Amino acid sequence: MAKNTPKLSLRVPEPPARPGDKADFSHVQMDEAGVVARPDTSVAPSQTRDLAFRLVRVLDDDGKAVGPWDPKLDAETMRRGMKAMLLTRAFDDRMHKAHRQGKASFYMKSTGEEAIAVAQGMVFSPEDMGFPTYRQQGLLIVRGYPLATMMNQIYSNASDPIKGRQLPIMYSAKEYGFFTISGNLGTQVPQAVGWAMASAYKGDDKIAVAWIGDGATAEGDFHSALTFAAVYRAPVVLNIVNNQWAISSFQGFAGGMETTFASKAIGYGLPCLRVDGNDFLAVWAASQWAAERARSNLGATVIEFLTYRHAPHSTSDDPSRYRPGDEGAHWPLGDPVDRLKQHMIGQGFWSDDEHAAAIADCEAQVKAAAKESEAIGTLGQSRPSVKTMFEEVFASEDWRLVEQRREVGV
């Protein structure tokens, strides 16, 4: 070591608050609702640089829609979005309880993040292909995918549409624009870019959409995908759902305290937006903007949605071990359901009574679906036929599969 030089030290990121501390979100960069400019969708990527450090918001603290990003949705569209968010929340609650009752081996809730999946599930067409992670169940729910079928997959019962080949909650529904969820984090982003490139190569009119969490942006797959998206001008929307926490490490470990996640697009020459993910109208507007760019042959857009994971990462997680117990209550962007409710009531086409009735209806739908699914069987009570293990492996069976099937006797 040279004389008179300081010893080097390694910095290990620490979250602003740990269990027992007061929740602290003072590091979150925010703008007032309505103040961020909305550029034309044909703008050059370099002209969106500032938007990586601002925050696109539409709903103000009084629930009013303000500013240039207001999508001016009609009452029926907002009602549909609200009911889908409520149904997603009711489904999550039921399935989380089912896990605690020993009916399922695993579950992951999306509490506090419903606006992202639901709004985007409405903006993008089911004919576009979505490459989700494990917290976008709202995509399927808003598009009318049968709740009982989702439950069958979670229970891994005899009617599991994936025939027991995936972990619970890793759905697959091509006809609903929902690509099979992968447990290997980050893989869905290059897959989405590749799918979008193929669509453009064929001269099709379909675009791709991908979702990734803040933590998984540290995976090499994410950065490879951005390179291909930029170079080939792939018609894809790349969503980063920054919910502040990976399974037990805060977003600082993925670089979230050095800069915004949206700004990662700048170095690749891609346009970027940073958006209030708990504002249904802002999510809608930003998604619509990015979709228009993609459909106009202007290429990919990276969107960071700022939100908060209220629930545990999964049923295998205990967040009380790494963050303040009341941290979610202090999240400065509130709850997406409450905020849209406030706006709808202020507009005069929703009420507390209608909201309560909608919750009751959603709970009834989930209860009916659970009755249907549990009649087939919960975890261990029934399972897909063993013979399905040999199906859809190769285009035609080779001698090894024939021999294995014979040995099993199916």
Side-chain angles (χ1 to χ4, degrees):
M1 178 181 292
K3 294 181 178 179
N4 302 319
T5 58
K7 291 183 178 180
L8 297 176
S9 61
L10 182 69
R11 189 200 67 166
V12 178
E14 274 291 327
R18 286 293 192 183
D21 296 337
K22 183 178 179 181
D24 181 9
F25 290 109
S26 60
H27 61 283
V28 178
Q29 303 174 46
M30 293 176 54
D31 286 280
E32 295 296 325
V35 302
V36 176
R38 182 188 185 279
D40 188 83
T41 52
S42 63
V43 70
S46 60
Q47 298 304 304
T48 68
R49 185 186 185 283
D50 287 348
L51 296 177
F53 304 99
R54 306 296 299 275
L55 189 65
V56 174
R57 302 176 65 190
V58 173
L59 293 174
D60 67 14
D61 293 341
D62 297 321
K64 295 179 181 178
V66 296
W69 285 93
D70 179 8
K72 301 188 185 305
L73 301 183
D74 61 82
E76 187 51 41
T77 297
M78 283 188 268
R79 284 196 192 96
R80 183 184 168 210
M82 172 61 80
K83 290 177 180 179
M85 286 198 291
L86 291 174
L87 186 56
T88 301
R89 192 164 288 189
F91 183 87
D92 274 354
D93 288 344
R94 180 84 185 204
M95 290 296 94
H96 191 267
K97 291 175 183 176
H99 171 269
R100 294 298 190 244
Q101 294 166 350
K103 296 177 180 179
S105 62
F106 186 72
Y107 194 72
M108 303 179 81
K109 299 178 75 175
S110 62
T111 311
E113 303 177 37
E114 296 93 347
I116 298 168
V118 170
Q120 294 198 305
M122 297 170 71
V123 169
F124 298 107
S125 167
E127 293 185 349
D128 298 325
M129 185 54 70
F131 291 77
T133 65
Y134 34 66
R135 237 178 284 278
Q136 278 80 52
Q137 49 266 57
L139 286 171
L140 290 174
I141 289 173
V142 74
R143 290 175 176 173
Y145 189 77
L147 300 180
T149 304
M150 292 178 73
M151 292 179 181
N152 291 338
Q153 196 278 325
I154 293 165
Y155 292 146
S156 302
N157 63 25
S159 293
D160 175 2
I162 312 182
K163 304 175 184 178
R165 298 169 180 171
Q166 275 277 43
L167 283 168
I169 62 87
M170 293 190 178
Y171 316 106
S172 178
K174 180 179 179 180
E175 64 277 20
Y176 288 82
F178 196 99
F179 197 85
T180 310
I181 295 175
S182 172
N184 298 316
L185 298 181
T187 58
Q188 71 276 14
V189 188
Q191 290 168 353
V193 173
W195 193 97
M197 289 169 59
S199 181
Y201 183 79
K202 293 185 297 184
D204 204 343
D205 62 354
K206 311 299 187 301
I207 67 175
V209 191
W211 293 262
I212 191 170
D214 48 281
T217 62
E219 296 280 349
D221 283 353
F222 172 76
H223 298 275
S224 296
L226 264 60
T227 296
F228 275 82
V231 170
Y232 294 99
R233 200 169 289 176
V236 61
V237 179
L238 303 173
N239 301 298
I240 303 168
V241 182
N242 178 8
N243 64 13
Q244 311 306 304
W245 289 95
I247 186 166
S248 58
S249 59
F250 85 117
Q251 44 98 11
F253 279 98
M257 300 300 280
E258 318 312 315
T259 186
T260 67
F261 289 97
S263 70
K264 295 180 185 293
I266 296 172
Y268 295 93
L270 291 170
C272 47
L273 300 173
R274 185 168 172 268
V275 180
D276 180 349
N278 288 16
D279 180 340
F280 184 88
L281 300 185
V283 174
W284 184 290
S287 304
Q288 197 173 50
W289 189 91
E292 186 176 332
R293 282 189 64 90
R295 297 191 199 282
S296 301
N297 271 323
L298 295 172
T301 300
V302 174
I303 307 176
E304 176 188 355
F305 287 112
L306 201 62
T307 184
Y308 183 83
R309 170 171 62 76
H310 283 266
H313 180 267
S314 72
T315 47
S316 302
D317 178 41
D318 179 8
S320 68
R321 296 173 63 89
Y322 55 80
R323 67 186 189 188
D326 65 345
E327 189 176 71
H330 296 278
W331 175 241
L333 296 176
D335 178 271
V337 170
D338 292 344
R339 291 176 64 190
L340 185 59
K341 174 189 174 184
Q342 181 187 27
H343 174 66
M344 292 167 65
I345 290 176
Q347 292 293 102
F349 55 81
W350 197 247
S351 67
D352 287 325
D353 288 344
E354 286 178 284
H355 194 78
I359 291 174
D361 178 65
C362 289
E363 291 175 346
Q365 290 184 57
V366 171
K367 182 178 180 180
K371 184 176 181 180
E372 177 185 342
S373 177
E374 291 178 14
I376 300 168
T378 57
L379 181 66
Q381 293 182 341
S382 73
R383 56 178 60 87
S385 170
V386 174
K387 69 179 182 180
T388 63
M389 181 168 58
F390 303 96
E391 298 171 355
E392 301 170 338
V393 179
F394 298 112
S396 58
E397 289 187 352
D398 70 356
W399 66 270
R400 287 162 294 193
L401 280 182
V402 172
E403 180 64 19
Q404 290 167 9
R405 186 193 292 272
R406 185 192 64 77
E407 290 177 1
V408 175
V410 295

